[in-house]
Amino acid sequence: MNKKDRIIRVLSVVLLMSMLLFSFGCAGQESPSGINSSAIYSDVSGVSESPSVSSTETEGTNTETSSSTPTSISNSPLSTAAPTTTVPTSSTPTTGSSTPPSVNPDAETPVSMEQTLKLYGNMSSKSDSAAASLRNTIIGKENLTKTGRKTFYISARNGNDSNDGLSPSQAWKTLDALSAYNYLIGSGDVVLLERGGVYRGTIKAVSGVTYGAYGSGPKPCVYGSRENAAKSSWKESGTANVYACDGYTSDIGIIVFNHGEAVGFKKLQGVSELKKNFDFFHDRANHTLYLYLDKGNPADLYTDIEMGFNQDIVSIQRGVHDVTIENISFKYTGAHGISTGIGVYNICVQYCEFGWIGGSILAGTTDTRYGNAIQFWGTCSDSVIDHNWIYQVYDTAITHQYRNTDQNVVAKGMTYSNNLIEYCTFSFEYFWKCVDSSGNVITPPTFYMEDISVTNNIMRFSGYGWGNQRPDINAAAHIKSWDSSPDPAKSFTISGNTFDTAWFGLIKISAGDSSSLPVLSGNTYIQQSGKKLGYYGVIGSTTELVFAENIVNSICAFDPNAIVITTA
């Protein structure tokens, strides 16, 4: 080998060593696009030649984020550490770095309105056409809210609780994820449940947040019952025709079979009381539910058994404000559908459905059952309950109420409008009662209701629902106050409503003085001949009125623009 060849070979070796050193030096570095270099060599086909870069606003700071790096909650949503968040500014959903969507073949589906109508009641009256029109408007309402500051999605069919929840393709699956990561949600955010799904559990509302629906199909259904108990293990109890189901600690208030084919009748004294089909007793001490059925094991007879226990489906806690709840169906709880704490304001509930609510034992009592669809407790203001369909509630569909020693409690600017209420014990109930430390009723000037409007609602079949198993069924009425409560009020109006058929009386309205009585105007009263209207007046001076020859004059004495219809 001559000298020239030796020089060329040495230079080649030096060049090769330099290339190898350069390669080892770069192996652990990230490329400008944020993708590890080793990934490029292992799978070149998965990387575009020129990754695009999009600008995303996060916490008020402009950052550069590769389009191949998803905008998401960093870390797994199920991590125990509190994740940081990246806030998308576009209304277009961002894609999270989580499990790809896959259809859940076991996802439950809501009951159709047609099936509900076949099962929830079978009465007919003069308001049928108007009720059907309003019902269709409520049930058929399109999605109202699209996105918010952040939008969280929940899909029973396609979701996964390990997802980040920030887009439909990366939706959570259950309300468990919403509960676990409620701290991620703040004012201006939106939580959307996919239509056509069933979601079991509860929701704790956050100030400034809207809860609604997305997708197409029936409204998303939130069930307070923890499971379809038709799939549970029912066993013979040792008592003839009585079957037992274990594992229920919180008081069961209601049992609904096949979404309304039958409803349980709660007994309080023990298994020995169970004598008829659907009688049930909940032995809370031993966590066992006992049910009487002479046809056989309930799991063999029914495809769906919903047992509502003592838990509010939606809680709006003390001081929470600016909450909107819309286009969601709430069913099967022994307590309240929606319940508020003291001091809430700017609450809006619209285009929702509530059914099969209540029946559990009120805390601190042994035999008082309760449960309302929507309840405001104590100080509340500037809230609207509008265009909701409410049926089969043990106690009342809608109420604001308070009884305590606090003397600075005001309900102000409350509007209840355009709701369809059917088969509830009370359609609208109110009481506002202040007592001293000895329990005596007092009327401090800072304890009152003001600017209350109950307008354009259709209320039907009071006392004809499943709540007629209550011991005081003769208290049933569409508008209900209580003789024991003075209910001080200013600017309280009840107008343009339809009160159609009641087991006992259409209205039962009283107050401590005439200035506190609500002003009635232009309401329609429909009742069977011989049945009671009820009463209107100051406590101690009211008289029960009956639908008879003079009923029109009697009603027009306090509602001068009333429409009165007597049915056979």
Side-chain angles (χ1 to χ4, degrees):
M1 180 181 296
N2 57 37
K3 182 177 182 181
K4 180 179 179 180
D5 291 336
R6 286 199 300 271
I7 292 173
I8 292 172
R9 175 168 289 188
V10 169
L11 290 174
S12 297
V13 171
V14 171
L15 180 60
L16 179 61
M17 291 180 66
S18 299
M19 292 176 65
L20 289 171
L21 288 172
F22 179 79
S23 176
F24 286 129
C26 294
Q29 297 180 5
E30 292 184 351
S31 68
S33 66
I35 302 173
N36 190 287
S37 300
S38 62
I40 297 176
Y41 292 121
S42 62
D43 186 6
V44 178
S45 63
V47 181
S48 62
E49 291 183 8
S50 178
S52 60
V53 177
S54 60
S55 177
T56 305
E57 186 177 326
T58 306
E59 303 286 339
T61 304
N62 290 326
T63 60
E64 295 294 317
T65 306
S66 168
S67 62
S68 62
T69 305
T71 303
S72 64
I73 302 171
S74 62
N75 306 319
S76 166
L78 300 183
S79 168
T80 55
T84 57
T85 61
T86 301
V87 183
T89 59
S90 170
S91 61
T92 303
T94 55
T95 303
S97 56
S98 305
T99 306
S102 59
V103 176
N104 176 12
D106 298 322
E108 299 177 275
T109 56
V111 179
S112 68
M113 184 178 74
E114 291 73 19
Q115 185 177 357
T116 297
L117 289 173
K118 290 179 182 178
L119 299 173
Y120 86 126
N122 57 6
M123 296 181 67
S124 179
S125 190
K126 298 291 185 180
S127 64
D128 286 356
S129 178
S133 177
L134 180 53
R135 188 185 301 112
N136 289 335
T137 296
I138 295 168
I139 295 300
K141 189 64 176 178
E142 71 279 3
N143 298 330
L144 296 171
T145 301
K146 305 303 180 184
T147 56
R149 184 182 69 101
K150 288 183 295 181
T151 303
F152 293 88
Y153 298 85
I154 308 175
S155 170
R157 291 179 296 179
N158 302 311
N160 189 311
D161 283 348
S162 64
N163 288 345
D164 60 29
L166 288 172
S167 73
S169 64
Q170 301 299 324
W172 290 327
K173 180 181 178 182
T174 71
L175 294 179
D176 291 341
L178 177 64
S179 177
Y181 295 95
N182 221 30
Y183 64 86
L184 295 175
I185 300 170
S187 182
D189 291 346
V190 171
V191 176
L192 298 178
L193 283 67
E194 187 179 25
R195 288 174 176 267
V198 171
Y199 306 87
R200 296 183 181 272
T202 61
I203 296 172
K204 180 181 176 182
V206 176
S207 292
V209 174
T210 293
Y211 300 83
Y214 76 100
S216 60
K219 294 183 191 295
C221 288
V222 178
Y223 289 179
S225 51
R226 75 182 190 192
E227 62 193 355
N228 176 2
K231 300 179 180 180
S232 298
S233 176
W234 293 84
K235 58 188 179 182
E236 294 182 1
S237 67
T239 300
N241 301 324
V242 174
Y243 294 85
C245 189
D246 295 327
Y248 290 91
T249 57
S250 182
D251 181 51
I252 300 296
I254 183 173
I255 306 178
V256 183
F257 302 84
N258 285 357
H259 303 289
E261 284 186 13
V263 182
F265 197 112
K266 185 176 177 70
K267 300 294 185 178
L268 304 180
Q269 303 304 317
V271 176
S272 61
E273 277 195 292
L274 308 185
K275 304 296 184 182
K276 299 181 297 183
N277 283 331
F278 310 111
D279 283 355
F280 74 92
F281 169 70
H282 186 196
D283 182 352
R284 284 176 286 169
N286 294 308
H287 308 164
T288 302
L289 189 287
Y290 295 94
L291 173 68
Y292 186 100
L293 275 179
D294 63 12
K295 304 294 184 182
N297 191 304
D300 299 329
L301 297 174
Y302 297 97
T303 58
D304 190 275
I305 302 174
E306 302 294 342
M307 299 201 290
F309 56 92
N310 198 359
Q311 181 172 258
D312 301 336
I313 298 179
V314 178
S315 61
I316 304 176
Q317 297 184 341
R318 177 187 290 262
V320 170
H321 56 87
D322 296 285
V323 171
T324 296
I325 301 171
E326 60 194 22
N327 261 328
I328 301 174
S329 175
F330 301 97
K331 297 182 180 181
Y332 308 125
T333 180
H336 302 312
I338 296 177
S339 179
T340 79
I342 296 173
V344 303
Y345 58 92
N346 290 341
I347 307 299
C348 176
V349 182
Q350 59 183 354
Y351 296 99
C352 290
E353 175 186 1
F354 297 82
W356 309 110
I357 302 288
S360 285
I361 303 297
L362 184 66
T365 71
T366 58
D367 58 1
T368 300
R369 298 173 68 187
Y370 78 117
N372 308 317
I374 303 171
Q375 173 178 291
F376 288 90
W377 177 257
T379 297
C380 52
S381 63
D382 303 317
S383 297
V384 176
I385 308 301
D386 181 75
H387 277 98
N388 299 284
W389 179 28
I390 306 173
Y391 55 88
Q392 292 290 0
V393 177
Y394 180 84
D395 208 338
T396 186
I398 300 170
T399 181
H400 62 249
Q401 55 185 247
Y402 196 67
R403 181 193 183 281
N404 214 315
T405 57
D406 300 340
Q407 297 190 19
N408 296 290
V409 183
V410 176
K412 185 174 183 179
M414 305 296 290
T415 298
Y416 310 100
S417 57
N418 303 300
N419 300 288
L420 175 59
I421 301 169
E422 304 178 285
Y423 299 103
C424 301
T425 301
F426 311 118
S427 296
F428 175 70
E429 177 195 21
Y430 64 95
F431 58 85
W432 217 247
K433 183 177 181 179
C434 188
V435 297
D436 62 20
S437 57
S438 299
N440 300 309
V441 176
I442 56 176
T443 54
T446 53
F447 191 96
Y448 58 89
M449 302 173 283
E450 183 175 11
D451 295 331
I452 309 299
S453 176
V454 181
T455 182
N456 296 332
N457 303 281
I458 300 177
M459 308 178 184
R460 294 160 34 102
F461 313 134
S462 163
Y464 287 94
W466 80 276
N468 61 14
Q469 62 184 253
R470 58 189 293 146
D472 60 344
I473 185 57
N474 285 343
H478 287 303
I479 304 292
K480 175 63 179 177
S481 63
W482 295 87
D483 289 344
S484 60
S485 180
D487 300 330
K490 312 171 186 178
S491 301
F492 187 168
T493 60
I494 300 175
S495 63
N497 304 283
T498 296
F499 309 130
D500 187 352
T501 310
W503 172 264
F504 194 70
L506 294 178
I507 62 172
K508 295 187 176 183
I509 299 173
S510 61
D513 59 78
S514 59
S515 65
S516 291
L517 286 168
V519 176
L520 275 63
S521 176
N523 298 289
T524 298
Y525 302 79
I526 306 171
Q527 179 68 303
Q528 296 173 358
S529 177
K531 283 276 197 177
K532 291 185 178 182
L533 165 74
Y535 54 78
Y536 174 91
V538 175
I539 294 172
S541 64
T542 59
T543 300
E544 291 275 5
L545 300 174
V546 177
F547 264 64
E549 286 187 16
N550 63 343
I551 191 60
V552 175
N553 291 335
S554 297
I555 291 175
C556 287
F558 57 79
D559 189 343
N561 299 311
I563 298 172
V564 181
I565 301 173
T566 303
T567 60

